[in-house]
Amino acid sequence: MSMHAKDSTERGIDYMTDTRPIAAGGNTPGCKKRDPIVVAENVSRSFGGINAVDVEYLEIPRHKITALIGPNGAGKTTLFNLLTGFDTPNSGKWQFEGNSLAGVSSYKVARMGMVRTFQLTKVMGKLTVMENMRLGGSSQPGERLSKALFKGLWGGREKEITAQANVLLEKFKLDAKKDDYAASLSGGQRKLLEMARSLMVQPKLVMLDEPMAGVNPALTQSLLDHIKNLKAEGMTVLFVEHDMNMVRHIADWVVVMAEGKIVAEGPPGEVMKNPAVIDAYLGAHHDVDLGDAEGIKELEAELEADEESVVGTEDAGILSVDVIAAEVAQEKEQK
Amino acid sequence: MDYSSILSSAIGELISPTTAAYALAALGLAVHFGYSGLLNFGQAGFMAVGAYGFAISTLTFGVPFFVGLLIAVVASAVFALVLGIPTLRLRADYLAIVTIAAAEIVRYLVTTSGWTAVTGSANGLADFEDGFYSMNPFPEGSYLGMNNRDFFIRVVGWGLVVVCCVLIWLLMRSPWGRVLKGIREDENAVRSLGKNVYAYKMQALIIGGSLGALAGMVFTLPRGAVQPSNYGTELTFFLWTCLLLGGMATVLGPVIGAMMFWVVLSLTQGVLTGLIESGAVTWLSTIQAGQLRYILVGIALMLLMIFRPQGVFGNKKELAFA
Ligand SMILES: Nc1ncnc2c1ncn2[C@@H]1O[C@H](COP(=O)(O)OP(=O)(O)O)[C@@H](O)[C@H]1O
Ligand SMILES: [Mg+2]
């Protein structure tokens, strides 16, 4: 475990092994948390009559890894945009560490310690990987026009930022690429770079929108460990992910969205047994537990009977829920 | 054909004050577009604001040279603010439209006969350069075949180019410049890292615009006159040509681009005129030759975009698109 973990242990709590309950009461959708970092109330956003997000109440637990799951179009990315100031809701209020964020511009949200990545990866293609990383560095006096001309005023901080970037790049297996232009990276490497860059800001809450999409499977395991370790460094993580294995592996808490609403919340094991969740994802195929291998086998068997199902093709064995959900929706339409 | 005079006039263009002015203004465009991704299609407007700001404050208010210079730069900064405040929060194309329009508005404002006493309307203003030449440290005589006035304005113009290039180079290698380049690539990503994108874009717009204002002064001083017709839209597009010739995200690119632009114009003019006068070309008048060379510049630009899109000095890798 890292040095930071020791720090947090010294303060009495090890966030890696903290087993105190997350919810303050029952695990109902929109339940109160023992120690929330984000609280959102009645946040709604509609696009041309369609309610993309309509969240009545949501708390994100501090020092935990929360997965935000739900079928495509559930409103997860839109919720990210709203919470981080990249989009403005039609109504609602929300706060981060007790500070109201309604109307606060996105860069200020990031400075307060709430940093997000994008589903459609955003790297600066014509900057090198290292320059991308340095851009994330905080309190660099040289970023002010009045000091930019004088290297003496910012060279020292630049060295610290570079050292910080080197450590992260190594963790994310990008150190060999650091002098390459980011445009030359593969899709998965760009995801990694974006995540590493967001950590350069040293956020309190890091919000990752589909961090594993396109990442080389050989890398995912070590990446999952890095995400887990963020907790040890005192960070809170909120991430969107479709891969249930990953969710089960690292999430302490799962929030399920469907059609803009929070439909279920709870620890991963519990949520994946929840009929409302299975409903949201699959429509039919109610009576399975996505959380254990038995349930998945059951579902696969059931899907095998369906001609349109992806199971039994080259995807066999990989339960990619969003693909199945799309297939099922298509199937429904045809009926 | 008199090759030596064709060549010497081309070399003369290389260091002419007009070339220095183009280099400065194109450097401003490099700050705008090459480094920050801001589409300014009204750099001629910034030059006009600088030139008129200086000329009017000298003639109407009788201020000394350096106060006039300061007023010119401040006026261009205000111009940048006025253009930037409503547009820099919007998509890049809004700034492009607004700058084209604003540059034309400036030109019409100084042309309108309502304010002839101040702006001189279509005839423009003259006789504002005495304050400048009175500072000339070079006694009368011949300097590389130039008189002391011509030599002085070249020294000042190119001195200014060198100083501005060094300043911009220092800025762009700093973390401040890095944020600008990040904004050029993806401003939302930069926002998500906690940088105030709007403020950076405004600073870049003002700095590039001030370079335009200085260019306007360097352009106008050796002529001893400002005229609205000098600041038309085609000036902006010549500046873009210089920028594209030299390379967009470089400091030396716009300078070399401006030199190439004027040398090529001068050479083609000289060669075409020579051919016509010697009777080798009969299907072209000298006036048509003057127009033909701009067509040639256009063709050269097209060839450049096809075979060396990064410009002469640009880095090919920086063009690699995602
Ligand atoms: N800018 C937009 N304009 C119109 N509709 C949008 C926009 N952004 C999202 N939507 C709609 O909002 C819904 C939620 O989208 P999104 O938040 O991207 O879902 P998710 O990330 O959960 O897959 C979808 O129906 C989508 O079509
Ligand atoms: Mg999404």
Side-chain angles (χ1 to χ4, degrees), chain A residues 179-256:
Chain A
D179 296 322
D180 294 1
Y181 284 93
S184 72
L185 298 183
S186 73
Q189 287 171 324
R190 287 178 200 202
K191 276 269 166 206
L192 296 180
L193 173 58
E194 200 192 17
M195 196 194 305
R197 192 180 60 197
S198 72
L199 297 179
M200 287 293 293
V201 188
Q202 298 186 312
K204 294 173 189 157
L205 168 65
V206 48
M207 300 170 59
L208 308 168
D209 201 344
E210 305 200 10
M212 293 300 167
V215 174
N216 175 2
L219 264 180
T220 42
Q221 190 53 50
S222 76
L223 215 83
L224 291 184
D225 292 338
H226 289 318
I227 295 181
K228 260 183 156 173
N229 278 327
L230 295 178
K231 226 173 23 168
E233 296 177 26
M235 275 183 232
T236 304
V237 181
L238 175 65
F239 72 102
V240 173
E241 187 50 63
H242 287 297
D243 182 337
M244 287 305 148
N245 265 325
M246 168 169 172
V247 170
R248 217 152 17 120
H249 191 74
I250 63 167
D252 302 302
W253 191 257
V254 179
V255 175
V256 187

